[in-house]
Amino acid sequence: MPLAAAEAALRQIFGQCDRAGYWRSAGQPVLSAVSGGPDSLALVLCVHALADSLALDHRAVIIDHGLRAHSAAEAREVAARLSAVGISNEIRKIAAAAPASGIQEWARQQRLGLLAEMARSSGAIVLFAHHHDDQAETVAFRLLRQSGLVGLRGIVALRFFQGALFARPFLGLCKTDLIAICRSFGVDFVKDPSNSNPAFTRVRMRRLLQAEPGLGRQLTRLAALSARLTGWRDSQLALWTGQHAELFARLSARIPAEVFFSQSEHVCTAILSSLLRYCGPASGFSPSDAALSRLLHRLSDHSAVTIAGCYISRKAGYIDIQAEYGRQPPEPLFLAAGGTGFFDQRWLVRTVEGARILRFGQLAPAIYPPKQDWPRHFARLPARLKAMIPVARTLDGRALVPHLMTSDEFLCLSSCSDKTGSTDQFIIAPAPVEGPLAHSIMRAEE
C-alpha cells in the first residue's frame, strides 16, 4: 500500500509540472536529492521504478557537506548502494567552509543552491523527500515564531528556488510509509546522527510530536487549510495584476493609482507585497503588515519610498515600483562556455563563450556596447534600470548585450540536447519569483 501511494503521488506531481509548462516529463531530466536516509532512499527507489514507464531521465544526487570526518566515505557508500540497484547517481561536494554557528541552515542553503545550479544547467526538476511528519514540524516551528497565514501553509509541493523548480511529492506520506518502501525493495538505509542530537531544536520538536501523534495531524490540517486560503488569495492577486499592472522583466511594475486606491486597505497591502516580491531580489525580505500599511499611507501622500530592494513612487496617475540599483552591486559571475547561472538575485543567464557577467552599470564607459546593439525594449529603459541589465564581458574584453527571453523559453533551452542551437551569444531571462508555483504573477514577464 505505501508503494502504490508513493507512485500515485509521483505521477500526480509530474502531471502538475507538465501542465505548468516549466518542465516536461518527456525529455527533461529529473534529479532526486538523496542523503541515504530512509526518506530520500524511498524517493529515489520509487522514481527509478517509474522511470521506464514514464520515459524519465532520472539521476540521484548525493550532497557531501563535509561536516563530518567520514562524510566523503558515507557519500560513496550511498552511491554504491544506488549503483547496486541500477540507479544512476553522482556525488557533489560543498566547497565552502562551514560557519561557526547556524550550521544546519548553512548546510541547507548550500545544498539547495547546488541543486538549483544543476537543475538550471539541464532544465531538470529537483525532487525532495519531505513528508507528512516534516510538514507537521515545520508548521509547529512557524507557530512558535508567530508566522502569519503564508508561513502556516508549511512546505509547498511545488516551488521555485533560484530559477529552479523544486518538487516535494511525498507530503501526504508518513515516515513509517517511507521506511516500509525501503524494506519492500530490500535496500538498507543509513542513519544521520544529527537527526537524534537534542542540541538541534528540530530534533526536540520531532520528539514532542512523536509523543503527541494527534497534534501532528492537526498541524498538517492547518497547513492544508492555510495553503488553500493563500492559494485563493494569490489567484485573485494574479487576476488583478493581469488586468491592471504593466510588468517588465522583474525590473518594474506600474499600476493605475485610482484603481489601486479604490481597493480596501487589506487588498492594497496584499497587492504591494506581491509586486515588491516581483521587482525585489530573491533574497529580499518580505515587509511586515505594519510596514506595508505605512507604505500605503505614504503613497497616498505622494511620497517616494525605498523598501525591500525596490523604489516606489506615485506620479502622473500611476504607482511605479522599480528594482533598486543598490549601494553594493553584486560580485561578477564567471561562466564557462555554454554555462548557465543565476545572477543578481533575479536573472537566469547563459553564454555561448566564457565570460564574466556583471551589471551594465559596472562597465567602464570606454567599453559600452554601441547604442544600436541594444534591443529597443532595453534602450528605452530609465537609466537606473538599464544599469541593472546583465552584460557579458568576454575573455578578449568585448561587452555583449543580452537577448531577453521569458523564463519558459530559457528553461526549455536548458533542457535541449543541442544547447548551441541559438545564435545569440548571451541570453538572459527574469527568474521566476521564488515561492509556490501556483497562482502567482511570476510568469508575467513582458
Side-chain angles (χ1 to χ4, degrees), residues 142-400:
R142 294 180 181 178
L143 276 173
L144 290 175
R145 295 169 182 169
Q146 299 183 330
S147 293
L149 189 63
V150 172
L152 293 180
R153 70 187 168 196
I155 304 169
V156 295
L158 282 170
R159 73 181 297 262
F160 281 105
F161 180 80
Q162 296 184 2
L165 186 56
F166 287 177
R168 295 170 170 88
F170 285 174
L171 293 175
L173 279 73
C174 296
K175 189 178 187 71
T176 53
D177 297 326
L178 303 184
I179 292 174
I181 289 171
C182 292
R183 289 174 175 162
S184 70
F185 279 99
V187 179
D188 291 333
F189 50 83
V190 298
K191 293 184 178 180
D192 183 348
S194 66
N195 287 333
S196 58
N197 185 349
F200 295 115
T201 307
R202 184 169 286 276
V203 173
R204 298 195 297 272
M205 179 63 71
R206 184 174 303 136
R207 290 179 176 178
L208 171 64
L209 293 176
Q210 288 171 347
E212 297 285 346
L215 178 58
R217 288 191 292 272
Q218 293 173 3
L219 290 171
T220 53
R221 283 198 291 268
L222 174 60
L225 176 60
S226 299
R228 286 197 293 272
L229 290 172
T230 55
W232 177 84
R233 184 205 62 177
D234 290 347
S235 68
Q236 297 304 301
L237 287 173
L239 179 63
W240 193 93
T241 54
Q243 293 174 340
H244 301 293
E246 301 172 21
L247 308 173
F248 179 73
R250 294 201 57 193
L251 289 176
S252 65
R254 166 178 276 201
I255 52 177
E258 183 177 355
V259 176
F260 173 73
F261 282 110
S262 69
Q263 311 299 312
S264 68
E265 179 171 342
H266 176 73
V267 172
C268 286
T269 55
I271 292 170
L272 288 174
S273 178
S274 180
L275 294 177
L276 287 171
R277 287 196 302 112
Y278 176 82
C279 294
S283 61
F285 68 94
S286 298
S288 66
D289 291 343
L292 289 170
S293 182
R294 290 193 297 270
L295 169 61
L296 179 62
H297 289 296
R298 292 192 65 178
L299 288 174
S300 66
D301 293 335
H302 293 76
S303 300
V305 181
T306 299
I307 184 173
C310 299
Y311 177 77
I312 309 176
S313 60
R314 179 183 177 186
K315 55 186 176 182
Y318 287 90
I319 294 173
D320 288 313
I321 302 176
Q322 297 183 352
E324 185 185 20
Y325 184 81
R327 297 178 180 85
Q328 293 184 329
E331 290 293 323
L333 172 68
F334 294 89
L335 290 181
T340 298
F342 180 64
F343 176 69
D344 201 10
Q345 295 293 317
R346 71 178 70 245
W347 298 105
L348 300 173
V349 295
R350 175 186 291 279
T351 58
V352 171
E353 55 186 304
R356 182 176 60 155
I357 314 302
L358 64 164
R359 288 177 175 177
F360 173 68
Q362 295 174 275
L363 281 181
I367 59 171
Y368 279 179
K371 289 185 178 180
Q372 62 269 23
D373 288 355
W374 284 94
R376 186 168 51 189
H377 47 252
F378 284 155
R380 294 183 303 190
L381 283 176
R384 64 189 297 163
L385 295 184
K386 186 176 179 180
M388 295 185 69
I389 298 296
V391 292
R393 186 79 189 276
T394 63
L395 300 181
D396 60 6
R398 290 172 293 127
L400 304 179

Side-chain angles (χ1 to χ4, degrees), residues 125-147:
I125 182 175
V126 184
L127 302 183
F128 297 87
H130 296 89
H131 48 78
H132 176 278
D133 304 6
D134 295 322
Q135 182 74 290
E137 292 172 19
T138 299
V139 177
F141 267 119
R142 294 180 181 178
L143 276 173
L144 290 175
R145 295 169 182 169
Q146 299 183 330
S147 293

Side-chain angles (χ1 to χ4, degrees), residues 9-206:
L10 285 167
R11 290 180 184 275
Q12 181 181 21
I13 208 82
F14 291 146
Q16 290 174 335
C17 293
D18 266 333
R19 291 189 294 273
Y22 274 98
W23 176 88
R24 300 294 183 200
S25 57
Q28 289 186 248
V30 179
L31 303 177
S32 293
V34 182
S35 65
D39 309 345
S40 60
L41 193 56
L43 171 68
V44 73
L45 289 167
C46 289
V47 179
H48 180 65
L50 288 174
D52 288 341
S53 62
L54 297 180
L56 298 177
D57 175 12
H58 176 233
R59 185 165 80 257
V61 182
I62 305 152
I63 304 296
D64 176 12
H65 300 87
L67 296 177
R68 297 190 298 273
H70 303 294
S71 64
E74 292 168 357
R76 290 194 297 269
E77 180 183 352
V78 173
R81 290 180 180 178
L82 296 178
S83 297
V85 292
I87 298 176
S88 175
N89 63 85
E90 65 177 294
I91 299 172
R92 289 295 184 99
K93 170 86 173 177
I94 301 291
S101 60
I103 290 177
Q104 284 202 325
E105 179 59 23
W106 170 87
R108 175 180 175 274
Q109 291 298 323
Q110 292 290 320
R111 177 171 65 253
L112 296 183
L114 182 52
L115 289 166
E117 178 184 342
M118 295 177 67
R120 290 192 304 266
S121 65
S122 62
I125 182 175
V126 184
L127 302 183
F128 297 87
H130 296 89
H131 48 78
H132 176 278
D133 304 6
D134 295 322
Q135 182 74 290
E137 292 172 19
T138 299
V139 177
F141 267 119
R142 294 180 181 178
L143 276 173
L144 290 175
R145 295 169 182 169
Q146 299 183 330
S147 293
L149 189 63
V150 172
L152 293 180
R153 70 187 168 196
I155 304 169
V156 295
L158 282 170
R159 73 181 297 262
F160 281 105
F161 180 80
Q162 296 184 2
L165 186 56
F166 287 177
R168 295 170 170 88
F170 285 174
L171 293 175
L173 279 73
C174 296
K175 189 178 187 71
T176 53
D177 297 326
L178 303 184
I179 292 174
I181 289 171
C182 292
R183 289 174 175 162
S184 70
F185 279 99
V187 179
D188 291 333
F189 50 83
V190 298
K191 293 184 178 180
D192 183 348
S194 66
N195 287 333
S196 58
N197 185 349
F200 295 115
T201 307
R202 184 169 286 276
V203 173
R204 298 195 297 272
M205 179 63 71
R206 184 174 303 136

